[in-house]
Amino acid sequence: HLLLFLLFVGPFNCFASYSRATELFYSLNEGLPAGVLIGSLARDLRLPTASGQRPAAPQPPLSFTLASRGLGGQYVQLDNRSGELHTSDVEIDREALCVESSGVTVFGGAASVSSSSSSPSSESCLLLLDVLVLPQEYFRLVKVKIAIRDVNDNAPRFPVPHIRLSVPENAPVNTRLAIEHPALDPDVGTNGVQTYRLRDNYGVFTLDVEENESGERTPYLIVMGALDRETREEYVTVIVAEDGGTPPLVGSATLTIAISDINDNCPQFSDSQLNVTLYGNSSLGTHLATVHAVDMDLGSNAQITYSYSQKVPQPSRDLFHLDESTGAITLSSKVDGDTPRLHRLIILGNGAGCIPAVITVLVTIIKVMTRPPEVVPRFIANEAEGVVYLKELEPINTPIAFFTIKDPDEKYKVNCYLEGDGPFRLSPYKPYNNEYLLETTKPLDYETQQLYEISVVAWNSEGFHVNKIVKIQVLDDNDNSPVFSQQLIELSIEENNVPNAFLTKLHATDADSGERGQVSYFLGPDAPSYFSLDKSTGVLTVSTQLDREEKEKYRYTVKAVDSGFPPRESIATVTITVLDKNDNSPRFINKDFSFFVPENFPGFGEIGVISVTDADAGQNGWVALSVLNGSDIFVIDTGKGVLRAKVSLDREQQSSYVLWIEAVDGGDPALSSTAKITVLLLDINDNPPLVLFPQSNMSYLLVLPSTLPGSPITEVYAVDKDTGMNAVIAYSIIGRRGPRPESFRIDPKTGNITLEESLMQNDYGLYRLLVKVSDHGYPEPLHSTVMVNLFVNDTVSNESYIESLLRKEPDISIEEKQPQISIEPTHKKMESASCMPTLVALSIISLGSIALVTGMGIYICLRKGKKHHRADENLEVQIPLNGRINLHMLEKKPMEISNI
């Protein structure tokens, strides 16, 4: 927009716009939230709309626009209409905005937001904005400068966490030492670092702060007391920097004050005099003594050199050599007959810049004879180049050597003894004089000590000593077995491991040396073949996958054998526990379970137990059972596997249930399996027969008098919802009323009612038959009753009369008869009854042949009974021809009775 405007107005307008440029100055604190008012350009520029003056003519509205959205534009929001300048969502951080490398220095200002017409100082942190005011009548370029005031939002911070300062121990009081790493605080003015302090000054230090011309504050360590490195060589404290904000913020670092050494101590000897004895036959280089002085200083300040005092005569200097570095005194010349027997050596311990320390060494020389005793060894044990070789475990009193002690002058008595440590003894060998035997006093042990150095010392009455050094080397023998670091090695491994899986590394040690101490490893004879043991390294592996369900624990032996001759060995026991993994699904004992349950079984009663196993162990072998279908009726006890029904089951509603049971183990991830459960309901006699015909006790049937005997009249038809014997129905007449009620009979199987005898004139009238319909249930049969009404007449002329008779309560006596079914037909009884007169007659006529006649009669009766029985078995159920309903049209088959 600015470019188009400049092109339109031309160069003259540009000159005019420049002349109308204006500067506005504002200031605000850093870190203010969005929406804080910085200033109103319209008001501060005193534009007409802002002053409230009404223009003479309508003017276009003012427009305020940022000429460019540079770095400063992201921190402010300018209202294009009102000219109000607010803070934006981008928070102003003065320390990030104005760094010292940019040439702008941060300064502190007022805490409140205010506008100012005065120019900010040169140390201000400024945001520079160019704002265009349009339209042309009010056009001007406004230079907006926003000074960012500092707030105390930064704590002092040391550039390093540990500061080390060195102070010489002879530093005088009030010595000032600058601390090279002062604390830094991005804040300015009083919000910057103001003071320093020590958390613990130990009573000998304090801090002071100096400020240079640029305002930087440097802490100085001031020594307030005497220091001594030999007493304490280091002080560790914490230096704390604090700014001047409200509240003040602090930062800290560890300050280590090291006390450097100066040469303020001189060498000192612990003793003033040392006495030394030297034999006259001592060899050159014999060590007499070592003097040692101590200097408490460090480094070069503690270096000590040793020298003879000028008071030491030259012959003594020539006879004894003094090492100037170590202070060792050795024999440098041979002792002869002219050598003085007493030497006084004054030795100085010299330190830099110190008075020497003094120690006196008195050397007494013991003169010896010119012909010392002779010690002649004769070795019994193996000897080479002065070294005797003995095997360990040699028995006690093993001879080593004979020593012959001689006096060349043959006028002095010579004694002999043994010097040195070890299981050895030097004793006179009788009956010879001056013969001594060196022998062992106990077995030698190579593993305890390999080399002994002893001396055979001979001396005479003049005090002359002769030493014969004997070195004894102990030879190793294979007397130690390998030793396992553990006698019982307990291991564990998860099953289904990868082949050749690493189990452990066996370790055994052998105290013998050389090949005798080299250990090889072997599996014991009880180890399974799929375990491998590396002979050299002792690495134990398993070559195949282990299955915990096949075998959970392994126990076998391993051997460690050394390379000695004969070899020695030791045995350790390895136990391996195979840890379980969830690699087996739960298994049902059967895939299909069938349970037979009587109906009306009580709710939550035990239907059956579902057995399930899981070969895994622990949590992996824990099995939870659940019903996948039918969970609204059936539940399962997870712990015991007991299947239960929530409600009582009715076979007549549903005779069987098929359930799917899921078994889930406790592994992660879990494994599962399913099984089929069939619940079959056994019938119980819980339903009495239901009479379907006749439908009412008030119905009746017209029977014509001309009906022939044996003709079917009607039927009673009933059904039973139970099954088996519980549904087998028997019919019987248990009550009768009518002119000749025995004229009608009912078939116990079919329920068909037939006419037994011809009807006469006086047999007309209403017959009422009370029929009992009973099942064969166990243990108690159930029954129903129905009234069958038969009206014997030629016609029905007065139905209302008949209905009135039916409404009357019938006076019927109940016949307690058990209905008979075809197992023993009723005709048999009738036939048997008809045979009785014949038998009586025959017995009266011929008493003599009564037995024969009786037998024949019984035989005849039985034959006839069987014929009637076969006839009854072949009877089919008759369908009644008369009736008010069409039930006789139903297809019926011969009924059979069977046991389930």
Side-chain angles (χ1 to χ4, degrees):
H1 293 154
L2 175 60
L3 178 60
L4 293 174
F5 180 80
L6 294 176
L7 291 173
F8 179 78
V9 299
F12 296 104
N13 287 335
C14 287
F15 178 79
S17 299
Y18 179 79
S19 64
R20 298 174 64 187
T22 307
E23 286 189 353
L24 289 178
F25 301 100
Y26 300 101
S27 63
L28 75 160
N29 290 347
E30 63 174 325
L32 292 177
V36 176
L37 178 64
I38 301 172
S40 175
L41 272 64
R43 181 190 64 210
D44 296 337
L45 293 173
R46 302 183 183 280
L47 296 177
T49 54
S51 62
Q53 298 176 359
R54 283 184 174 275
Q59 298 293 332
L62 290 173
S63 174
F64 299 88
T65 308
L66 288 174
S68 64
R69 299 193 65 86
L71 177 63
Q74 64 179 325
Y75 297 105
V76 298
Q77 290 286 343
L78 177 62
D79 191 308
N80 293 339
R81 294 297 180 189
S82 65
E84 289 186 347
L85 200 61
H86 296 82
T87 55
S88 69
D89 294 335
V90 180
E91 184 179 293
I92 298 175
D93 184 1
R94 186 183 186 282
E95 289 73 36
L97 186 63
C98 298
V99 294
E100 295 202 12
S101 60
S102 64
V104 182
T105 306
V106 180
F107 79 106
S112 61
V113 176
S114 62
S115 62
S116 174
S117 59
S118 62
S119 174
S121 70
S122 60
E123 296 180 347
S124 298
C125 176
L126 300 177
L127 284 179
L128 302 179
L129 305 173
D130 291 340
V131 180
L132 294 177
V133 182
L134 297 174
Q136 186 175 359
E137 292 82 354
Y138 301 102
F139 172 75
R140 66 183 67 191
L141 177 63
V142 181
K143 298 284 188 177
V144 179
K145 296 181 180 180
I146 304 174
I148 308 303
R149 292 193 296 265
D150 181 51
V151 297
N152 191 27
D153 57 348
N154 291 281
R157 185 173 180 272
F158 286 90
V160 292
H162 295 89
I163 301 172
R164 188 173 182 85
L165 192 63
S166 180
V167 181
E169 63 176 324
N170 63 342
V173 176
N174 294 327
T175 298
R176 299 170 65 87
L177 299 169
I179 297 176
E180 297 180 355
H181 301 285
L184 304 176
D185 193 330
D187 297 324
V188 297
T190 58
N191 292 332
V193 177
Q194 298 297 316
T195 61
Y196 292 87
R197 69 175 184 274
L198 293 177
R199 194 164 289 175
D200 186 359
N201 58 18
Y202 297 98
V204 292
F205 300 107
T206 188
L207 288 180
D208 190 17
V209 180
E210 291 186 4
E211 185 174 355
N212 58 17
E213 295 179 355
S214 61
E216 295 179 351
R217 295 174 179 266
T218 303
Y220 281 81
L221 180 71
I222 302 176
V223 179
M224 301 297 293
L227 304 175
D228 185 7
R229 189 205 62 81
E230 288 72 33
T231 303
R232 183 164 188 168
E233 60 184 20
E234 188 177 76
Y235 296 86
V236 180
T237 184
V238 175
I239 182 171
V240 179
E242 182 177 307
D243 62 22
T246 304
L249 302 177
V250 297
S252 63
T254 301
L255 177 62
T256 301
I257 305 170
I259 310 302
S260 59
D261 183 55
I262 64 168
N263 192 20
D264 57 346
N265 290 279
C266 290
Q268 289 183 350
F269 288 106
S270 58
D271 297 316
S272 60
Q273 183 172 313
L274 185 63
N275 298 320
V276 177
T277 300
L278 178 66
Y279 292 105
N281 64 341
S282 298
S283 59
L284 297 180
T286 300
H287 179 266
L288 278 72
T290 299
V291 294
H292 181 68
V294 177
D295 192 322
M296 299 299 292
D297 293 326
L298 292 177
S300 60
N301 295 330
Q303 288 184 355
I304 302 174
T305 60
Y306 302 93
S307 63
Y308 285 125
S309 171
Q310 294 180 356
K311 297 179 180 181
V312 177
Q314 190 62 41
S316 295
R317 293 171 182 257
D318 296 337
L319 184 60
F320 303 105
H321 172 71
L322 174 64
D323 190 301
E324 66 175 6
S325 300
T326 62
I329 305 172
T330 56
L331 183 64
S332 60
S333 299
K334 286 187 176 182
V335 177
D336 55 25
D338 298 330
T339 304
R341 302 189 66 178
L342 182 63
H343 296 264
R344 186 181 187 89
L345 305 179
I346 300 174
I347 300 174
L348 306 179
N350 305 298
C354 290
I355 299 174
V358 179
I359 186 171
T360 300
V361 178
L362 292 177
V363 180
T364 302
I365 298 178
I366 300 175
K367 289 188 178 183
V368 295
M369 295 181 300
T370 56
R371 298 182 66 186
E374 293 180 0
V375 178
V376 180
R378 289 173 293 166
F379 293 101
I380 303 171
N382 293 330
E383 180 267 340
E385 298 180 357
V387 179
V388 178
Y389 295 92
L390 287 178
K391 288 185 177 181
E392 65 175 334
L393 301 181
E394 289 282 0
I396 300 175
N397 301 327
T398 297
I400 300 173
F402 277 114
F403 289 90
T404 302
I405 309 302
K406 296 181 180 181
D407 180 16
D409 298 327
E410 296 183 356
K411 60 179 180 179
Y412 298 105
K413 181 181 179 180
V414 180
N415 293 316
C416 185
Y417 67 93
L418 191 65
E419 277 188 352
D421 296 328
F424 306 105
R425 176 176 58 224
L426 184 66
S427 59
Y429 190 72
K430 297 180 180 180
Y432 303 102
N433 294 325
N434 297 331
E435 293 287 344
Y436 293 85
L437 176 63
L438 179 63
E439 59 186 351
T440 60
T441 59
K442 63 180 182 179
L444 303 178
D445 188 2
Y446 174 87
E447 288 71 37
T448 303
Q449 187 169 343
Q450 294 86 37
L451 181 65
Y452 294 90
E453 187 171 315
I454 57 179
S455 297
V456 177
V457 181
W459 84 99
N460 59 17
S461 56
E462 293 295 317
F464 193 92
H465 290 71
V466 175
N467 293 344
K468 182 62 178 180
I469 297 176
V470 180
K471 293 183 179 179
I472 299 174
Q473 176 68 54
V474 182
L475 300 179
D476 188 28
D477 198 358
N478 192 28
D479 61 334
N480 290 279
S481 299
V483 177
F484 280 99
S485 57
Q486 292 177 284
Q487 285 299 113
L488 178 61
I489 304 164
E490 297 178 319
L491 307 174
S492 63
I493 184 174
E494 279 195 342
E495 63 176 330
N496 304 332
N497 55 282
V498 297
N500 299 317
F502 173 83
L503 293 175
T504 189
K505 183 176 182 180
L506 303 180
H507 181 66
T509 57
D510 194 315
D512 294 323
S513 62
E515 292 184 353
R516 291 173 291 273
Q518 293 180 359
V519 180
S520 300
Y521 302 91
F522 301 94
L523 289 172
D526 55 345
S529 59
Y530 38 83
F531 289 96
S532 301
L533 180 59
D534 189 279
K535 175 182 177 181
S536 302
T537 62
V539 172
L540 181 64
T541 58
V542 57
S543 60
T544 185
Q545 282 191 346
L546 300 180
D547 188 356
R548 190 204 64 84
E549 288 70 39
E550 291 183 4
K551 190 169 183 179
E552 184 176 5
K553 288 188 177 295
Y554 296 85
R555 185 183 181 93
Y556 54 87
T557 57
V558 291
K559 295 191 298 183
V561 182
D562 63 21
S563 302
F565 183 81
R568 300 175 70 97
E569 67 179 37
S570 62
I571 296 176
T573 302
V574 176
T575 63
I576 300 175
T577 302
V578 183
L579 303 179
D580 185 55
K581 290 181 70 175
N582 193 26
D583 57 344
N584 290 278
S585 301
R587 295 186 63 183
F588 290 92
I589 293 181
N590 299 313
K591 278 297 181 183
D592 295 325
F593 291 84
S594 296
F595 298 110
F596 295 87
V597 182
E599 65 173 331
N600 300 332
F601 194 67
F604 291 97
E606 181 177 322
I607 295 175
V609 177
I610 300 168
S611 298
V612 60
T613 61
D614 194 313
D616 293 321
Q619 186 72 17
N620 296 331
W622 182 86
V623 179
L625 298 174
S626 61
V627 182
L628 296 179
N629 62 326
S631 59
D632 53 339
I633 299 177
F634 295 93
V635 293
I636 192 165
D637 187 339
T638 296
K640 299 179 179 179
V642 177
L643 181 66
R644 306 177 190 273
K646 298 179 183 178
V647 296
S648 180
L649 304 178
D650 188 358
R651 190 205 62 80
E652 285 72 39
Q653 293 184 2
Q654 187 170 339
S655 61
S656 65
Y657 296 86
V658 177
L659 306 176
W660 289 96
I661 305 298
E662 181 181 38
V664 181
D665 62 24
D668 184 17
L671 301 178
S672 63
S673 60
T674 57
K676 179 182 177 183
I677 310 297
T678 303
V679 180
L680 300 171
L681 298 182
L682 301 178
D683 184 54
I684 64 173
N685 193 27
D686 59 342
N687 291 282
L690 176 64
V691 179
L692 298 179
F693 183 82
Q695 295 178 338
S696 171
N697 289 335
M698 302 299 292
S699 62
Y700 64 94
L701 180 68
L702 177 65
V703 179
L704 298 177
S706 59
T707 302
L708 297 177
S711 299
I713 304 301
T714 186
E715 74 168 343
V716 176
Y717 181 64
V719 295
D720 196 315
K721 293 182 181 180
D722 297 321
T723 59
M725 294 299 295
N726 296 331
V728 176
I729 299 175
Y731 302 88
S732 62
I733 299 174
I734 61 173
R736 305 169 183 264
R737 184 175 177 80
R740 192 151 58 95
E742 63 274 7
S743 301
F744 300 94
R745 67 177 292 272
I746 189 168
D747 189 291
K749 284 186 180 180
T750 63
N752 289 337
I753 297 176
T754 58
L755 180 65
E756 287 289 293
E757 301 175 355
S758 300
L759 297 173
M760 304 299 180
Q761 180 97 23
N762 55 356
D763 294 335
Y764 286 34
L766 180 64
Y767 291 79
R768 309 197 73 175
L769 307 177
L770 181 62
V771 178
K772 178 180 179 182
V773 183
S774 176
D775 60 25
H776 282 66
Y778 179 83
E780 184 70 29
L782 302 178
H783 69 273
S784 301
T785 58
V786 65
M787 188 71 72
V788 178
N789 301 303
L790 302 176
F791 186 62
V792 177
N793 205 356
D794 294 323
T795 60
V796 179
S797 59
N798 191 352
E799 290 188 4
S800 60
Y801 171 70
I802 297 174
E803 291 175 355
S804 65
L805 293 177
L806 294 175
R807 282 193 292 270
K808 292 180 180 180
E809 191 71 29
D811 185 12
I812 299 177
S813 60
I814 304 299
E815 302 174 8
E816 290 299 331
K817 279 186 178 181
Q818 196 69 18
Q820 299 294 324
I821 299 190
S822 62
I823 298 173
E824 289 293 331
T826 56
H827 299 333
K828 182 177 180 182
K829 291 185 178 181
M830 295 172 62
E831 193 65 32
S832 300
S834 64
C835 291
M836 291 301 296
T838 305
L839 293 174
V840 173
L842 289 173
S843 62
I844 296 172
I845 295 171
S846 181
L847 295 174
S849 60
I850 192 168
L852 178 63
V853 172
T854 303
M856 293 179 63
I858 294 173
Y859 175 78
I860 293 170
C861 291
L862 291 175
R863 294 285 292 177
K864 289 184 178 182
K866 289 181 180 179
K867 289 180 181 179
H868 284 288
H869 181 67
R870 292 193 197 99
D872 278 342
E873 284 181 348
N874 294 327
L875 284 176
E876 291 187 353
V877 178
Q878 298 296 322
I879 300 175
L881 300 178
N882 299 323
R884 295 189 178 186
I885 63 175
N886 237 357
L887 288 174
H888 62 281
M889 297 302 293
L890 297 174
E891 182 181 355
K892 293 187 178 180
K893 297 180 180 179
M895 184 175 296
E896 295 181 358
I897 300 174
S898 61
N899 289 326
I900 299 176

